[in-house]
Every structure is written in structure tokens, then in C-alpha cells.
Amino acid sequence: MTVFSRIIAGEIPCYKVAEDDRYFAFLDINPLNWGHTLVVPKHETDYIFDLDDEDFAGMTIFAKKVAAGIKKATGCRKVAMAVLGLEVPHAHIHLVPINQEGDMNFARKIQNPDPGRMAEIAAAISDNLE
Ligand code: AMP
């Protein structure tokens, strides 16, 4: 069971942003920028391009809704999207609010982010979902 499956199952805490029957979104614990969110399928698959077409498309559409909430909640210029998957073997899309190119730097994460601020941002994104 991956760490993300344990988060979805409620065994590990997270800053939850959104959920439907197939997908789950929560804040990255070491965000590149405030509001950095991960979108994952509930069905555990390592490599995103191994998802079947329907699941891949569904995850992208779910990420689009979450990105709109991030943009409204943070007032960022744009929400960037990336897939790496080198660390956690459970497919996930990174959604990162950016104002400049340097905000999308995976070598520069916010370490030990303030829990109060993380909870506030997760709630703000959640409140701004359509
Ligand atoms: P990657 O697999 O390379 O896309 O990176 C995995 C991402 O998951 C990293 O940005 C981590 O900060 C994030 N991450 C790992 N464990 C957790 C967790 N328990 N809660 C939230 N984010 C996590």
C-alpha cells in the first residue's frame, strides 16, 4: 500500500482539498509554493501513463477543477502542472500556483511548512471549488 493510499484511507493525515469517487486531492507536504496540491487516483497505479484512457482523462478533468480552485484561492498568475513520480509509486499530478518561472523549481521546496497556514490554504481551495 502506498503512502498516498494510506492518506486516502485516512490512516495518515493530510491537508485535504477535494475528493470524488475516483480521485483525491491534498496539499503536498513540502510545497514548492503555498497551495501546491497533488491529485491522485484512488485506484493504486504507479506510472501515470499506465492508467487506462478513461481514468487518465478523468484524473485530468478532476485536476482542472482543482486548479481553478487553487487559482481563485491564491490569486496566482497561473497554475502549473507537472508529473514526476520518482519518489512515490502512486500516480499523481502536481498542481503548483506560480507567478514566475522560478516558482516551479522541484529542487527548492518549503521545508516544515506552517501547519496553520497549510490548513488555511487547503480550506480556501476547497471553498473555491465549483
Ligand atoms: P514525486 O513522486 O517525485 O512526484 O514526489 C512525490 C511528492 O509527494 C513530493 O513532492 C513529496 O513532497 C510529496 N509527499 C510525499 N509524502 C507525502 C505526504 N505524506 N503528504 C503529502 N505529500 C507527500
Side-chain angles (χ1 to χ4, degrees), residues 14-130:
C14 74
Y15 299 97
K16 182 175 159 183
V17 166
E19 175 179 19
D20 71 5
D21 54 329
R22 288 160 67 194
Y23 309 104
F24 195 94
F26 55 102
L27 295 187
D28 192 301
I29 202 67
N30 292 121
L32 302 190
N33 208 352
W34 297 100
H36 178 174
T37 300
L38 301 176
V39 171
V40 305
K42 290 187 173 176
H43 174 72
E44 199 175 294
T45 300
D46 175 2
Y47 186 43
I48 192 166
F49 296 120
D50 283 337
L51 292 172
D52 66 36
D53 290 356
E54 194 197 336
D55 217 12
F56 180 73
M59 186 175 168
T60 310
I61 292 163
F62 185 81
K64 181 179 171 181
K65 289 181 192 149
V66 175
I70 294 171
K71 193 157 187 300
K72 276 194 195 158
T74 64
C76 62
R77 272 178 70 195
K78 292 201 169 172
V79 175
M81 177 167 140
V83 175
L84 285 80
L86 294 173
E87 200 184 299
V88 178
H90 187 142
H92 51 281
I93 295 173
H94 293 262
L95 296 175
V96 183
I98 57 166
N99 296 303
Q100 56 208 355
E101 199 177 284
D103 291 339
M104 193 65 171
N105 180 355
F106 280 84
R108 215 185 55 203
K109 297 178 173 179
I110 300 169
Q111 301 296 333
N112 303 313
D114 177 64
R117 187 161 177 196
M118 291 286 275
E120 255 174 43
I121 288 176
I125 297 169
S126 199
D127 287 347
N128 277 286
L129 295 174
E130 299 264 303

